[in-house]
Every structure is written in structure tokens, then in C-alpha cells.
Amino acid sequence: MASFGWKRRIGEKVSKAISQQFEAEAADDKDLGDDDDANWVLAAKRRKEVLLEDCLRKSKELKDEGANLAENRRYREALVKWDEALQLTPEDATLYEMKSQVLMSLHEMFPAVHAAEMAVQRNPRSWDAWQTLGRAQLGLGEIALAVRSFQVSLHTFPMNPEVWKEDLSWARKLQEQQKATKTESVQVLAKGEELVQESIPDYDFESDEIVAVCAAIAEKEKALSAAKTMVIVSASGTVETVTEQDNCPATPDETLFIRAR
């Protein structure tokens, strides 16, 4: 509250006692104003704390209600409760981790992975959030990522036998099977390429059989080329095919026939 005072006119006479009394009252008003400002700040801070407490209390109630619904396999209703709780406490990693578990039960793996990633972002030291993330990644077939998530979970909480004996052991077994399958596929492909290459025979063109076949073909071509044929069209229009042998070079009289090819 601002202090208030009269402005003295020029030439106006004011007694010293009245002036001192006025200054004292102005100082009291100023102190009172400072107290009011401090009280307003404290009141606003208190209201904020009360509102935060109410949000935390309401979020916890919604979280518990969702957990009870999930235990009774009412997963969709549980998700609704937890979404309402996240509106009040958006930084609660536990809510995201619980959502991921329920989404995996509904076989919705992509949203499950996303919810688990949100959980580990908000609390990187939450071993159960990393464990849930690894399980969701396994559901997507991301075995290498799942192995890493389980390793982080085990590093955060080394005394957890469930992650070591069940999750990480199973993920590594799947990883070995995946590597073995890839190796077998590569071997099958390589073997198939070898079979294709072996299916083309390597002929020996200098063998006796090939030489005999070539000689027979040459003899046949020679016999065909020895006999020459021609088509004769007579003046009257009669067509006749005549075979001319090399030892019989005589041909019909050209005055009677017209040679045609």
C-alpha cells in the first residue's frame, strides 16, 4: 500500500510538530503496506501448496482405482483412470509404467513401448520402468533393445533375481536363436548359388563324341550341297522342279523353258 501525504504549497508555513507527526503516520502506513504485500505472497504460496496437495491426493486415488480395475482385468477402465491421474501429475513415472503393463496385456505393443519410454524419461533410475520397457520391446521383436533395457534395469537394481533369471536370460536365448537363424539362412543361400552354378554342365568340345557329331553334321551338309535344285517354268506355263547333279550338267533347252528360282 503506497504512502499518502499532502503536497506543501509554496510559502505555506507548517509547524515542526505537525510535520513530525505527519511523517510518523506516513511511515506507519508504509510498514502496513509492506506487511500486506508479504501476506499476499504467503497466501498465494499457500494456495499453490494446497492445490498441489489436492492434485497429488486426487491422482493417488485415481491411481489406486485404476490398479484395482487392472487386477480385475478391466484394463480399458484402468487406462481411463490413469489418464485422468496423469492430467493432475504428468511427471509421475509410475503411472506410465502401469499403463505400459496394461497395454501389453491388451497386445498393443507400440503404445506400450511409448508409455514405458515416457516412464524411463521421467525416472531413469526406475528399474521396474526399464524392465517393463524391455518386455514391451520384446513384444515388438526388438531383441537387441530389450537386452539393453534389461541390462540397465539390472545395473540399477543388481539384487533383482527376476530380471537376471527370467527377463535377461530369455532375451539372450532369443538373441542366440536369431543369430543362428540368420547364419542358417546365409548358408542356404550360398548352397543354392552353388547348385545353380553346378547345374550348367562343362562340355568338353574336344571329346570323341562331340567330334563324331560334328563330322556327321558336316557330311550331311556336304551331301545336301552336292545336289542342286531349280524350278523350271515352261513356255506353256507348266512348273517343274529339276535336281541337277554335278555329274549331269545338262539342262533343258532354254528356248523351251524359262528358268526361275
Side-chain angles (χ1 to χ4, degrees):
M1 182 176 179
S3 59
F4 176 78
W6 292 105
K7 293 183 179 180
R8 187 178 62 174
R9 297 178 181 178
I10 299 177
E12 184 178 358
K13 295 182 180 179
V14 181
S15 64
K16 185 176 181 180
I18 294 175
S19 177
Q20 292 176 350
Q21 182 179 1
F22 179 78
E23 291 176 356
E25 291 177 355
D28 293 339
D29 292 339
K30 183 178 180 180
D31 294 337
L32 183 60
D34 293 340
D35 292 339
D36 290 341
D37 292 340
N39 292 334
W40 182 85
V41 172
L42 292 175
K45 184 177 181 181
R46 179 56 185 167
R47 283 196 298 271
K48 185 177 180 180
E49 292 175 353
V50 171
L51 181 61
L52 180 60
E53 291 175 357
D54 290 341
C55 289
L56 292 174
R57 178 181 54 79
K58 182 62 176 177
S59 177
K60 187 177 183 305
E61 292 177 357
L62 292 170
K63 182 192 296 185
D64 294 339
E65 291 176 7
N68 292 330
L69 291 170
E71 290 177 357
N72 294 323
R73 300 181 181 275
R74 298 165 63 180
Y75 298 131
R76 296 294 180 184
E77 297 177 49
L79 290 175
V80 172
K81 294 294 182 180
W82 291 334
D83 286 336
E84 293 178 2
L86 284 171
Q87 296 294 325
L88 300 173
T89 54
E91 298 301 319
D92 191 343
T94 306
L95 287 170
Y96 285 105
E97 191 270 334
M98 295 167 70
K99 278 190 64 176
S100 180
Q101 292 189 48
V102 168
L103 289 169
M104 280 190 286
S105 299
L106 294 172
H107 304 287
E108 298 181 8
M109 294 304 171
F110 280 104
V113 170
H114 177 69
E117 288 176 346
M118 297 291 286
V120 298
Q121 287 177 7
R122 279 153 177 76
N123 187 7
R125 298 191 61 80
S126 174
W127 65 266
D128 49 351
W130 283 105
Q131 181 187 29
T132 301
L133 177 59
R135 291 178 175 179
Q137 289 168 339
L138 274 183
L140 283 181
E142 298 292 343
I143 300 176
L145 295 177
V147 169
R148 179 185 177 277
S149 297
F150 292 141
Q151 289 174 343
V152 175
S153 176
L154 192 63
H155 178 75
T156 305
F157 183 34
M159 302 304 295
N160 187 356
E162 184 180 13
V163 177
W164 176 261
K165 295 180 179 180
E166 297 180 11
D167 296 312
L168 186 57
S169 177
W170 173 245
R172 284 178 173 173
K173 184 178 180 180
L174 292 177
Q175 194 174 36
E176 292 175 358
Q177 292 178 355
Q178 186 181 51
K179 291 180 180 179
T181 302
K182 289 182 179 180
T183 303
E184 184 178 355
S185 300
V186 171
Q187 292 176 352
V188 170
L189 290 175
K191 187 176 181 180
E193 293 178 357
E194 292 177 358
L195 291 175
V196 170
Q197 293 177 358
E198 292 177 356
S199 63
I200 303 175
D202 187 10
Y203 291 107
D204 184 7
F205 292 98
E206 296 181 356
S207 64
D208 296 337
E209 292 82 0
I210 299 297
V211 172
V213 171
C214 292
I217 294 174
E219 291 294 333
K220 185 176 180 181
E221 292 291 335
K222 184 178 179 180
L224 292 175
S225 63
K228 298 180 180 179
T229 60
M230 53 186 163
V231 179
I232 305 299
V233 181
S234 66
S236 62
T238 304
V239 179
E240 182 180 359
T241 302
V242 179
T243 302
E244 181 182 2
Q245 301 293 337
D246 291 339
N247 54 3
C248 296
T251 59
D253 188 357
E254 294 184 358
T255 59
L256 300 176
F257 296 93
I258 300 174
R259 183 179 297 180
R261 293 182 180 179

